[in-house]
Amino acid sequence: MTDTTLVAEPAPSLQTDIPTTDGLALRGLRKTLGGRDVVAGIDLDVAKGELVSLLGPSGCGKTTTLRMVAGFLAVDGGTVAMGGRDVTPLGPERRPSAMVFQNYALWPHMTVTQNVAFPLRTRRVPKAQIADRVRAALDLVGLTHHATSKPTAISGGEQQRVALARAIVQEPDVLLLDEPLSNLDAKLRVSVRDEIRRIQQRLGITTVIVTHDQDEALSVSDRIAVMHDGRIEQVAAPAELYAAPATRFVASFIGSTSTVSGAFLAAVTTPSAAGDEVLVRPEAVTLVADGPVTATVSRVLMRGHFAEVVLTAGESELRSFVTGPPPVVGSTTGVRIGAVLVYSSGVLVGGTR
Ligand SMILES: Nc1ncnc2c1ncn2[C@@H]1O[C@H](COP(=O)(O)OP(=O)(O)O)[C@@H](O)[C@H]1O
Ligand SMILES: [Mg+2]
C-alpha cells in the first residue's frame, strides 16, 4: 500500500475505561485530515459474531474510520477495543483483525495460493500449517481450482474472494471490509454479497462492512450504522432503520421518501406529532377511487415488478409505488396516505407505522 498516512507506531490511547464487550468497541474515535474533522467522534459496539455495516455517502469518513479500526491509521482521539482489550496503540499486524481493501491489493506476481499465504508467512507460521490453512480458506471461498492462477488471470469476483480468503486465513476475531462489492457488476455483487454473509455466519466472525450502497447494507447486516459528516446518525437493525429513521438524513438516505406538502397534507389522517416536515414512503401512498385528495398522474416509471407513479396536486408532488397495472398518465385518481414520518428540525418526532 502506498498510503502516506500509514503509521508504524500509532499514538497511545487517551482513554483508560476500555469497554468489556467481547466483540469490537469504538469510543470517541476521531481523525482530523486536511484541517477537517473527517471522523468526529464515533461510538460503536459490535457484538461477537455480529455483522454491522457502516453506511453513508462518499466522503463521510467510512474508510478513515475502518483504517483506524484496523490500525493502518493512527487515531487523533478515542479508543479501539477488541475482545475487551485496548488495541489503540497497536499496529495492524498486532491486532486480532484482518482487513479486505476496496481495491483488493493482491500481489500480481504471486499466485492465488501465495497471496493467501502471505499474511501467514509474514507471521512466521510453520510451513505445513500454512499449506493446510490456505487450502481450507480457498475451499471456503470456492477457489480451489484457481490455487495456482495469478490474480490477473481470474475475474473481479474471484479476485474479491482471494482478498476475502487472505483475510479469513488469518483467523481474525474481527473482519473489516471496505466496499467489498463496489468493483463488481450488479449480478456478481449479489452472489458475492450472499457469499460473504454465509462465510461470516458460518465462522461467526465479528464483522464491519463499509458501504455506500443501502441495498447491500440492508440485505447483509445484523445492524446498520448510518454515517453522515464523520458522525453516526443512527444504529439500528435494517427493518427498524427503514421503519423509523431517526433523522431526516437517514430517511432520505435509506429507501425513497416524498415530502407531503400542500393539498396532499389533507390525505394524512393521523398526524401524531407536531413537526415541520411530514415524509411518506412511496409504498404508503395508495391510489384509490375515492380518496381524501384527488391528484393527477403526471408520470409513470416502470421499475420492474412495480411502477413508480408521480402524482401532482396543485404545486405539490408525491410518489407512489403501484403493483399491478399502472394508471394512465394524465388521468386523475384519489390518493390515500398511510404511515408517515414526522420530523422537527431534522429529528424524528412522530409518525404512524
Ligand atoms: N489523507 C487525507 N488528507 C486530507 N483529506 C483526506 C485524506 N484522506 C481522506 N480525506 C478526506 O476525508 C473525507 C472522508 O474520506 P473517507 O474516509 O475516504 O470517506 P468515505 O470512505 O466515506 O468515502 C473525504 O472528504 C476525504 O477527501
Ligand atoms: Mg471509502
Side-chain angles (χ1 to χ4, degrees), residues 9-331:
E9 295 288 359
S13 158
L14 305 173
Q15 287 174 336
T16 50
D17 48 307
I18 296 308
T20 54
T21 171
D22 51 2
L24 170 70
L26 312 179
R27 290 292 178 273
L29 216 55
R30 307 187 153 272
K31 189 71 193 180
T32 306
L33 290 171
R36 219 161 55 80
D37 289 338
V38 166
V39 177
I42 295 274
D43 296 317
L44 182 67
D45 283 296
V46 183
K48 194 171 165 65
E50 189 182 27
L51 191 160
V52 171
S53 291
L54 272 185
L55 173 68
S58 179
C60 74
K62 305 181 296 295
T63 294
T64 306
T65 301
L66 205 68
R67 295 178 74 86
M68 287 193 285
V69 174
F72 289 104
L73 188 63
V75 307
D76 284 342
T79 54
V80 178
M82 294 176 182
R85 193 163 64 96
D86 184 4
V87 298
T88 321
L90 305 180
E93 72 293 338
R94 296 183 56 211
R95 298 188 184 197
S97 53
M99 181 154 163
V100 176
F101 296 90
Q102 187 167 9
N103 60 5
Y104 314 150
L106 301 176
W107 301 104
H109 60 285
M110 291 184 189
T111 65
V112 165
T113 293
Q114 287 165 339
N115 265 282
V116 175
F118 189 77
L120 300 183
R121 282 175 44 212
T122 58
R123 282 171 203 201
R124 305 197 183 286
V125 173
K127 253 198 175 132
Q129 208 188 326
I130 291 181
D132 284 348
R133 280 168 68 175
V134 169
R135 211 173 298 125
L138 289 180
D139 185 44
L140 192 67
V141 300
L143 275 183
T144 307
H145 59 296
H146 273 309
T148 56
S149 305
K150 295 273 173 69
T152 45
I154 60 178
S155 72
E158 287 163 345
Q159 289 174 35
Q160 176 57 277
R161 285 189 275 152
V162 176
L164 183 62
R166 188 179 53 183
I168 59 186
V169 80
Q170 301 169 53
E171 297 170 358
D173 294 338
V174 177
L175 179 63
L176 306 166
L177 302 108
D178 191 359
E179 307 267 6
L181 308 174
S182 62
N183 294 330
L184 308 178
D185 63 54
K187 260 228 169 75
L188 204 54
R189 212 172 291 157
V190 172
S191 69
V192 176
R193 180 189 84 191
D194 294 347
E195 186 79 359
I196 289 174
R197 179 57 158 164
R198 182 184 65 81
I199 292 169
Q200 182 269 335
Q201 287 187 315
R202 182 155 150 206
L203 301 179
I205 307 180
T206 308
T207 300
V208 177
I209 296 185
V210 155
T211 180
H212 66 276
D213 182 339
Q214 53 158 313
D215 289 336
E216 197 174 308
L218 288 167
S219 51
V220 300
S221 312
D222 293 308
R223 288 184 305 145
I224 298 171
V226 181
M227 269 188 83
H228 181 213
D229 283 346
R231 290 190 171 80
I232 290 177
E233 294 238 344
Q234 184 175 11
V235 189
E240 175 66 16
L241 205 59
Y242 189 83
T247 66
R248 177 76 181 74
F249 173 81
V250 175
S252 57
F253 196 73
I254 309 272
S256 15
T257 52
S258 302
T259 298
V260 185
S261 63
F264 285 116
L265 281 166
V268 179
T269 45
T270 49
S272 67
D276 48 37
E277 189 169 24
V278 179
L279 299 184
V280 65
R281 300 279 193 201
E283 63 271 25
V285 177
T286 44
L287 309 190
V288 291
D290 214 6
V293 173
T294 302
T296 304
V297 175
S298 58
R299 270 193 298 155
V300 174
L301 302 94
M302 281 314 294
R303 297 271 302 261
H305 69 285
F306 65 97
E308 183 174 344
V309 176
V310 182
L311 303 161
T312 321
E315 298 288 288
S316 305
E317 212 179 79
L318 208 58
R319 278 159 198 267
S320 169
F321 288 162
V322 175
T323 50
V328 177
V329 173
S331 64

